Short mmCIF file of all heavy atoms in Angstrom, two decimals:
data_model
loop_
_atom_site.label_atom_id
_atom_site.label_comp_id
_atom_site.label_asym_id
_atom_site.label_seq_id
_atom_site.Cartn_x
_atom_site.Cartn_y
_atom_site.Cartn_z
N MET A 1 -2.54 57.18 242.02
CA MET A 1 -2.48 55.73 242.06
C MET A 1 -1.16 55.20 241.50
O MET A 1 -0.56 54.27 242.04
CB MET A 1 -3.66 55.12 241.29
CG MET A 1 -3.69 53.60 241.27
SD MET A 1 -5.09 52.93 240.35
CE MET A 1 -6.45 53.47 241.39
N ASN A 2 -0.68 55.80 240.38
CA ASN A 2 0.46 55.24 239.67
C ASN A 2 1.71 56.12 239.70
O ASN A 2 2.76 55.68 239.21
CB ASN A 2 0.08 54.98 238.21
CG ASN A 2 -1.06 54.00 238.07
OD1 ASN A 2 -1.03 52.91 238.63
ND2 ASN A 2 -2.10 54.39 237.35
N TYR A 3 1.63 57.32 240.24
CA TYR A 3 2.77 58.23 240.23
C TYR A 3 2.98 58.80 241.63
O TYR A 3 2.03 58.98 242.40
CB TYR A 3 2.55 59.36 239.21
CG TYR A 3 2.47 58.86 237.79
CD1 TYR A 3 1.24 58.53 237.21
CD2 TYR A 3 3.63 58.70 237.02
CE1 TYR A 3 1.17 58.06 235.92
CE2 TYR A 3 3.56 58.24 235.72
CZ TYR A 3 2.33 57.92 235.17
OH TYR A 3 2.26 57.44 233.88
N ALA A 4 4.25 59.09 241.92
CA ALA A 4 4.59 59.62 243.24
C ALA A 4 4.20 61.08 243.38
O ALA A 4 3.87 61.54 244.48
CB ALA A 4 6.09 59.45 243.50
N TYR A 5 4.23 61.83 242.29
CA TYR A 5 3.88 63.26 242.31
C TYR A 5 2.88 63.53 241.19
O TYR A 5 2.85 62.84 240.17
CB TYR A 5 5.11 64.13 242.11
CG TYR A 5 6.15 64.01 243.21
CD1 TYR A 5 7.26 63.19 243.05
CD2 TYR A 5 6.01 64.72 244.40
CE1 TYR A 5 8.21 63.07 244.06
CE2 TYR A 5 6.96 64.61 245.41
CZ TYR A 5 8.05 63.78 245.23
OH TYR A 5 8.98 63.65 246.23
N ALA A 6 2.08 64.57 241.39
CA ALA A 6 1.13 64.99 240.37
C ALA A 6 1.85 65.90 239.39
O ALA A 6 2.24 67.01 239.76
CB ALA A 6 -0.05 65.73 241.00
N PRO A 7 2.08 65.46 238.15
CA PRO A 7 2.88 66.25 237.20
C PRO A 7 2.30 67.64 236.98
O PRO A 7 1.13 67.81 236.66
CB PRO A 7 2.82 65.42 235.91
CG PRO A 7 2.53 64.03 236.36
CD PRO A 7 1.66 64.17 237.57
N ASN A 8 3.15 68.65 237.19
CA ASN A 8 2.89 70.05 236.89
C ASN A 8 1.86 70.73 237.79
O ASN A 8 1.52 71.89 237.57
CB ASN A 8 2.45 70.23 235.43
CG ASN A 8 2.96 71.52 234.83
OD1 ASN A 8 4.15 71.66 234.54
ND2 ASN A 8 2.07 72.49 234.66
N LEU A 9 1.37 70.06 238.81
CA LEU A 9 0.41 70.70 239.71
C LEU A 9 1.15 71.33 240.88
O LEU A 9 2.05 70.73 241.47
CB LEU A 9 -0.61 69.68 240.23
CG LEU A 9 -1.56 69.09 239.19
CD1 LEU A 9 -2.59 68.21 239.88
CD2 LEU A 9 -2.24 70.17 238.37
N PRO A 10 0.79 72.56 241.29
CA PRO A 10 1.50 73.27 242.36
C PRO A 10 1.06 72.80 243.75
O PRO A 10 -0.10 72.41 243.95
CB PRO A 10 1.11 74.72 242.13
CG PRO A 10 -0.26 74.64 241.53
CD PRO A 10 -0.26 73.40 240.67
N ILE A 11 1.99 72.87 244.68
CA ILE A 11 1.66 72.58 246.08
C ILE A 11 1.19 73.85 246.79
O ILE A 11 0.19 73.83 247.49
CB ILE A 11 2.88 71.97 246.79
CG1 ILE A 11 3.21 70.61 246.19
CG2 ILE A 11 2.62 71.83 248.29
CD1 ILE A 11 4.43 69.95 246.79
N MET A 12 1.90 74.95 246.59
CA MET A 12 1.50 76.23 247.18
C MET A 12 1.10 77.20 246.07
O MET A 12 1.76 77.29 245.04
CB MET A 12 2.65 76.83 247.99
CG MET A 12 3.01 76.04 249.24
SD MET A 12 1.68 75.97 250.47
CE MET A 12 1.38 77.72 250.79
N GLU A 13 0.00 77.93 246.31
CA GLU A 13 -0.47 78.92 245.36
C GLU A 13 -0.80 80.22 246.09
O GLU A 13 -1.42 80.19 247.17
CB GLU A 13 -1.73 78.43 244.64
CG GLU A 13 -1.57 77.18 243.83
CD GLU A 13 -2.90 76.73 243.22
OE1 GLU A 13 -3.28 77.29 242.18
OE2 GLU A 13 -3.55 75.85 243.81
N PHE A 14 -0.40 81.33 245.49
CA PHE A 14 -0.73 82.65 246.02
C PHE A 14 -1.22 83.51 244.86
O PHE A 14 -0.62 83.51 243.78
CB PHE A 14 0.49 83.31 246.67
CG PHE A 14 1.11 82.51 247.78
CD1 PHE A 14 2.15 81.64 247.53
CD2 PHE A 14 0.62 82.62 249.08
CE1 PHE A 14 2.72 80.89 248.55
CE2 PHE A 14 1.18 81.89 250.10
CZ PHE A 14 2.23 81.02 249.84
N GLN A 15 -2.30 84.24 245.10
CA GLN A 15 -2.86 85.11 244.07
C GLN A 15 -3.17 86.48 244.67
O GLN A 15 -3.59 86.58 245.83
CB GLN A 15 -4.14 84.51 243.48
CG GLN A 15 -3.94 83.17 242.80
CD GLN A 15 -5.25 82.57 242.30
OE1 GLN A 15 -6.27 83.25 242.21
NE2 GLN A 15 -5.23 81.27 241.99
N LEU A 16 -2.97 87.51 243.87
CA LEU A 16 -3.24 88.88 244.30
C LEU A 16 -3.84 89.65 243.14
O LEU A 16 -3.33 89.59 242.01
CB LEU A 16 -1.96 89.57 244.76
CG LEU A 16 -2.08 91.05 245.16
CD1 LEU A 16 -2.95 91.19 246.40
CD2 LEU A 16 -0.71 91.65 245.39
N ARG A 17 -4.95 90.36 243.42
CA ARG A 17 -5.59 91.20 242.40
C ARG A 17 -5.98 92.52 243.02
O ARG A 17 -6.41 92.57 244.18
CB ARG A 17 -6.82 90.50 241.82
CG ARG A 17 -6.55 89.23 241.06
CD ARG A 17 -7.83 88.64 240.49
NE ARG A 17 -8.77 88.31 241.56
CZ ARG A 17 -9.98 87.80 241.37
NH1 ARG A 17 -10.40 87.57 240.13
NH2 ARG A 17 -10.77 87.51 242.38
N GLY A 18 -5.84 93.57 242.23
CA GLY A 18 -6.24 94.89 242.72
C GLY A 18 -6.64 95.80 241.58
O GLY A 18 -6.07 95.74 240.49
N THR A 19 -7.63 96.64 241.83
CA THR A 19 -8.10 97.62 240.84
C THR A 19 -8.33 98.95 241.53
O THR A 19 -8.93 98.99 242.62
CB THR A 19 -9.41 97.16 240.17
OG1 THR A 19 -9.22 95.89 239.55
CG2 THR A 19 -9.86 98.16 239.11
N TYR A 20 -7.84 100.03 240.90
CA TYR A 20 -8.01 101.37 241.47
C TYR A 20 -8.60 102.27 240.40
O TYR A 20 -8.08 102.38 239.28
CB TYR A 20 -6.68 101.92 241.95
CG TYR A 20 -6.79 103.28 242.61
CD1 TYR A 20 -7.46 103.44 243.81
CD2 TYR A 20 -6.23 104.41 242.01
CE1 TYR A 20 -7.56 104.68 244.41
CE2 TYR A 20 -6.33 105.65 242.60
CZ TYR A 20 -7.00 105.78 243.81
OH TYR A 20 -7.11 107.01 244.40
N ASN A 21 -9.71 102.93 240.73
CA ASN A 21 -10.41 103.82 239.82
C ASN A 21 -10.23 105.26 240.29
O ASN A 21 -10.71 105.64 241.36
CB ASN A 21 -11.90 103.45 239.78
CG ASN A 21 -12.66 104.24 238.73
OD1 ASN A 21 -12.29 105.34 238.36
ND2 ASN A 21 -13.75 103.67 238.25
N LEU A 22 -9.52 106.07 239.51
CA LEU A 22 -9.25 107.45 239.87
C LEU A 22 -10.11 108.38 239.02
O LEU A 22 -9.86 108.57 237.82
CB LEU A 22 -7.76 107.77 239.67
CG LEU A 22 -7.29 109.17 240.05
CD1 LEU A 22 -7.53 109.43 241.54
CD2 LEU A 22 -5.82 109.36 239.70
N PHE A 23 -11.16 108.93 239.63
CA PHE A 23 -12.05 109.91 239.00
C PHE A 23 -12.70 109.36 237.72
O PHE A 23 -13.07 110.15 236.83
CB PHE A 23 -11.29 111.20 238.65
CG PHE A 23 -10.52 111.77 239.79
CD1 PHE A 23 -9.16 112.02 239.67
CD2 PHE A 23 -11.14 112.06 241.00
CE1 PHE A 23 -8.43 112.56 240.73
CE2 PHE A 23 -10.43 112.60 242.06
CZ PHE A 23 -9.07 112.85 241.93
N ASP A 24 -12.84 108.04 237.61
CA ASP A 24 -13.40 107.43 236.40
C ASP A 24 -12.63 107.79 235.13
O ASP A 24 -13.16 107.66 234.02
CB ASP A 24 -14.88 107.82 236.23
CG ASP A 24 -15.78 107.06 237.18
OD1 ASP A 24 -15.42 105.92 237.55
OD2 ASP A 24 -16.84 107.61 237.56
N LYS A 25 -11.41 108.23 235.30
CA LYS A 25 -10.55 108.58 234.17
C LYS A 25 -9.38 107.62 234.03
O LYS A 25 -9.02 107.20 232.93
CB LYS A 25 -10.02 110.01 234.32
CG LYS A 25 -11.05 111.10 234.03
CD LYS A 25 -11.40 111.13 232.55
CE LYS A 25 -12.32 112.29 232.22
NZ LYS A 25 -12.68 112.32 230.77
N PHE A 26 -8.75 107.30 235.15
CA PHE A 26 -7.61 106.40 235.16
C PHE A 26 -8.00 105.12 235.91
O PHE A 26 -8.42 105.18 237.06
CB PHE A 26 -6.41 107.05 235.83
CG PHE A 26 -5.87 108.23 235.08
CD1 PHE A 26 -6.29 109.52 235.40
CD2 PHE A 26 -4.93 108.07 234.06
CE1 PHE A 26 -5.80 110.62 234.72
CE2 PHE A 26 -4.43 109.17 233.38
CZ PHE A 26 -4.86 110.45 233.70
N ILE A 27 -7.83 104.00 235.24
CA ILE A 27 -8.12 102.69 235.83
C ILE A 27 -6.80 101.92 235.90
O ILE A 27 -6.19 101.63 234.87
CB ILE A 27 -9.14 101.89 235.01
CG1 ILE A 27 -10.39 102.75 234.71
CG2 ILE A 27 -9.52 100.62 235.75
CD1 ILE A 27 -11.14 103.19 235.94
N LEU A 28 -6.36 101.63 237.11
CA LEU A 28 -5.13 100.88 237.31
C LEU A 28 -5.47 99.49 237.83
O LEU A 28 -6.32 99.35 238.72
CB LEU A 28 -4.22 101.60 238.31
CG LEU A 28 -3.91 103.07 238.03
CD1 LEU A 28 -3.04 103.65 239.14
CD2 LEU A 28 -3.23 103.23 236.68
N ASN A 29 -4.82 98.48 237.32
CA ASN A 29 -5.08 97.13 237.79
C ASN A 29 -3.78 96.34 237.90
O ASN A 29 -2.85 96.52 237.10
CB ASN A 29 -6.08 96.41 236.88
CG ASN A 29 -5.57 96.25 235.46
OD1 ASN A 29 -4.76 95.36 235.18
ND2 ASN A 29 -6.03 97.09 234.56
N LEU A 30 -3.73 95.49 238.91
CA LEU A 30 -2.58 94.64 239.15
C LEU A 30 -3.08 93.25 239.48
O LEU A 30 -4.00 93.08 240.28
CB LEU A 30 -1.76 95.18 240.32
CG LEU A 30 -0.60 94.30 240.81
CD1 LEU A 30 0.53 94.29 239.78
CD2 LEU A 30 -0.08 94.79 242.16
N ASN A 31 -2.50 92.24 238.86
CA ASN A 31 -2.81 90.87 239.21
C ASN A 31 -1.54 90.03 239.11
O ASN A 31 -0.69 90.27 238.24
CB ASN A 31 -3.92 90.29 238.34
CG ASN A 31 -3.50 90.15 236.88
OD1 ASN A 31 -2.82 89.20 236.52
ND2 ASN A 31 -3.90 91.11 236.04
N GLY A 32 -1.41 89.10 240.01
CA GLY A 32 -0.21 88.28 240.03
C GLY A 32 -0.46 86.95 240.69
O GLY A 32 -1.44 86.76 241.41
N ARG A 33 0.45 86.03 240.44
CA ARG A 33 0.36 84.70 241.04
C ARG A 33 1.76 84.15 241.31
O ARG A 33 2.71 84.46 240.58
CB ARG A 33 -0.41 83.73 240.15
CG ARG A 33 0.25 83.45 238.81
CD ARG A 33 -0.65 82.61 237.92
NE ARG A 33 -0.06 82.41 236.59
CZ ARG A 33 0.41 81.26 236.14
NH1 ARG A 33 0.35 80.18 236.92
NH2 ARG A 33 0.93 81.15 234.94
N ILE A 34 1.85 83.37 242.35
CA ILE A 34 3.07 82.65 242.69
C ILE A 34 2.68 81.20 242.92
O ILE A 34 1.73 80.91 243.65
CB ILE A 34 3.74 83.23 243.95
CG1 ILE A 34 4.13 84.71 243.72
CG2 ILE A 34 4.97 82.43 244.32
CD1 ILE A 34 4.67 85.37 244.98
N GLU A 35 3.41 80.27 242.28
CA GLU A 35 3.16 78.85 242.45
C GLU A 35 4.49 78.14 242.71
O GLU A 35 5.49 78.44 242.05
CB GLU A 35 2.50 78.25 241.21
CG GLU A 35 1.12 78.82 240.91
CD GLU A 35 0.46 78.17 239.70
OE1 GLU A 35 1.09 77.23 239.13
OE2 GLU A 35 -0.64 78.57 239.32
N THR A 36 4.49 77.22 243.66
CA THR A 36 5.70 76.46 243.98
C THR A 36 5.35 74.99 244.10
O THR A 36 4.18 74.62 244.29
CB THR A 36 6.33 76.94 245.29
OG1 THR A 36 5.42 76.71 246.37
CG2 THR A 36 6.66 78.43 245.23
N GLY A 37 6.37 74.15 244.01
CA GLY A 37 6.19 72.72 244.23
C GLY A 37 5.85 71.91 243.00
O GLY A 37 5.57 70.71 243.11
N ARG A 38 5.89 72.51 241.81
CA ARG A 38 5.56 71.75 240.59
C ARG A 38 6.73 70.85 240.18
O ARG A 38 7.88 71.24 240.27
CB ARG A 38 5.21 72.70 239.45
CG ARG A 38 4.00 73.59 239.72
CD ARG A 38 3.73 74.50 238.54
NE ARG A 38 4.93 75.23 238.18
CZ ARG A 38 5.43 75.30 236.95
NH1 ARG A 38 4.83 74.68 235.95
NH2 ARG A 38 6.52 75.99 236.70
N LYS A 39 6.40 69.66 239.66
CA LYS A 39 7.41 68.72 239.20
C LYS A 39 6.98 68.13 237.86
O LYS A 39 5.79 68.00 237.58
CB LYS A 39 7.62 67.61 240.23
CG LYS A 39 8.34 68.06 241.49
CD LYS A 39 8.54 66.91 242.46
CE LYS A 39 9.40 67.33 243.65
NZ LYS A 39 8.80 68.44 244.40
#
């Protein structure tokens, strides 16, 4: 209503998560995010 842009909110968002269980001994995990368009 009062501002041209939403402060600090992203326009584009990308998320990635992955988990790999090797023989119940080694647990590998990866997670990431990309955000663009914040002002």
Side-chain angles (χ1 to χ4, degrees):
M1 179 180 295
N2 300 308
Y3 296 92
Y5 297 98
N8 215 73
L9 294 185
I11 294 178
M12 293 297 302
E13 299 177 81
F14 303 93
Q15 299 177 15
L16 176 66
R17 296 181 299 179
T19 302
Y20 182 67
N21 186 333
L22 182 61
F23 309 125
D24 284 331
K25 285 291 185 181
F26 295 93
I27 310 298
L28 308 177
N29 62 79
L30 173 71
N31 67 80
R33 64 186 176 110
I34 299 174
E35 297 182 3
T36 63
R38 299 180 307 130
K39 289 181 173 59

